[in-house]
Amino acid sequence: MKDEPTYDETWWERELHRNEKLMDRYLAALADNPDLARPRRPDDAPGGLPPEFPDPKAAGAAGTSDMFDLEGLEEALLEAAAAGEETADGSADSVDPGFENTPSDNEGYAEVARLARRFAVAVGSLELSRETPEILALSAPKIGANLAGGHGLGYDEETLCGNIVKCRWALADCEFCREMLEQLAQRTGRGIYRALADESRRLSGRIRERIARLRARVWW
């Protein structure tokens, strides 16, 4: 009998990257052949589902993801992101009562998600030009999306390290934005870039604190 894998950060990072690559392959194939999106039964095609898109029910037996259907993770992450967005739609100081009553469980997710959303909105409000590269506008929302993805994975022993990995990805996106904003501020002298760089630096600090709190709960 195969030993159960250790669901540490290394395992989760590998599996999350694998899931992203599968999604990239699917989206690329869908762009080339939109008919793939049309509902049809697996037995409509010779040999059932094509090998590029294995049957999710068999994924656990065929791959390394024995316990989790990671190919279905994208839907869960989108739902988590939507839930985080609903939480942040109120006033800037509002906090979902459910989060407020269990701060030790979610390690302050509501607050850091609200800060990430505010930062993404501020960056999105910049007028795109040669001066402000599009990649900045694309990277800022990924901070909140990754935080929401980690929160959606949860805080149980099996998924906690996956949460941490998604927080690390959010931190990497935040640091990328900070470096780009600092370069823009230095090159143009515009105060808005300096203010946003300072905001991203504060957000990075909050994400680092969250990662540290989550890691403190890893005992295995």
Side-chain angles (χ1 to χ4, degrees), residues 20 77-78 80-82 84-85 109 112-126 128 132-150 166-167 169-178 180-181 196 200 203 207:
E20 287 200 343
L77 298 188
L78 290 175
E85 199 168 290
Y109 168 72
V112 72
R114 187 165 53 246
L115 293 174
R117 176 178 170 82
R118 185 176 69 183
F119 176 71
V121 169
V123 171
S125 68
L126 293 174
L128 291 180
T132 308
E134 184 180 8
I135 192 171
L136 178 61
L138 294 174
S139 298
K142 290 171 62 179
I143 303 170
N146 276 315
L147 289 170
K166 296 295 285 185
C167 289
W169 291 2
L171 178 60
D173 289 321
C174 193
E175 285 293 282
F176 175 79
C177 290
R178 178 189 60 77
M180 183 166 292
L181 287 164
L196 286 173
S200 63
L203 179 56
I207 298 173

Side-chain angles (χ1 to χ4, degrees), residues 18-214:
R18 186 177 72 88
N19 182 70
E20 287 200 343
K21 289 180 181 178
L22 286 171
M23 288 302 302
D24 288 343
R25 289 171 61 189
Y26 172 76
L27 293 174
L30 187 61
D32 293 338
N33 186 3
D35 288 342
L36 287 174
R38 295 172 55 189
R40 67 179 187 178
R41 295 172 305 184
D43 54 2
D44 287 343
L49 291 174
E52 290 84 2
F53 309 105
D55 185 348
K57 294 180 181 179
T64 58
S65 308
D66 297 343
M67 186 171 179
F68 303 102
D69 176 17
L70 288 176
E71 292 179 29
L73 184 59
E74 185 72 13
E75 182 178 351
L77 298 188
L78 290 175
E79 291 176 357
E85 199 168 290
E86 290 172 4
T87 300
D89 277 343
S91 64
D93 296 325
S94 64
V95 177
D96 188 307
F99 289 132
E100 189 175 30
N101 292 336
T102 57
S104 61
D105 181 54
N106 61 62
E107 301 297 351
Y109 168 72
E111 181 181 2
V112 72
R114 187 165 53 246
L115 293 174
R117 176 178 170 82
R118 185 176 69 183
F119 176 71
V121 169
V123 171
S125 68
L126 293 174
E127 183 179 351
L128 291 180
S129 63
R130 289 184 179 180
E131 179 183 287
T132 308
E134 184 180 8
I135 192 171
L136 178 61
L138 294 174
S139 298
K142 290 171 62 179
I143 303 170
N146 276 315
L147 289 170
H151 178 68
L153 284 173
Y155 302 82
D156 294 334
E157 178 177 328
E158 294 84 0
T159 61
L160 180 60
C161 286
N163 192 337
I164 294 170
V165 169
K166 296 295 285 185
C167 289
R168 283 171 38 209
W169 291 2
L171 178 60
D173 289 321
C174 193
E175 285 293 282
F176 175 79
C177 290
R178 178 189 60 77
E179 291 175 2
M180 183 166 292
L181 287 164
E182 287 179 345
Q183 291 174 10
L184 287 168
Q186 185 175 10
R187 187 167 70 244
T188 66
R190 294 183 61 187
I192 183 62
Y193 293 135
R194 177 58 59 191
L196 286 173
D198 291 341
E199 184 74 13
S200 63
R201 188 178 299 103
R202 286 191 290 270
L203 179 56
S204 288
R206 293 298 184 91
I207 298 173
R208 284 192 176 91
E209 290 172 1
R210 176 169 169 79
I211 292 171
R213 290 196 299 268
L214 291 173

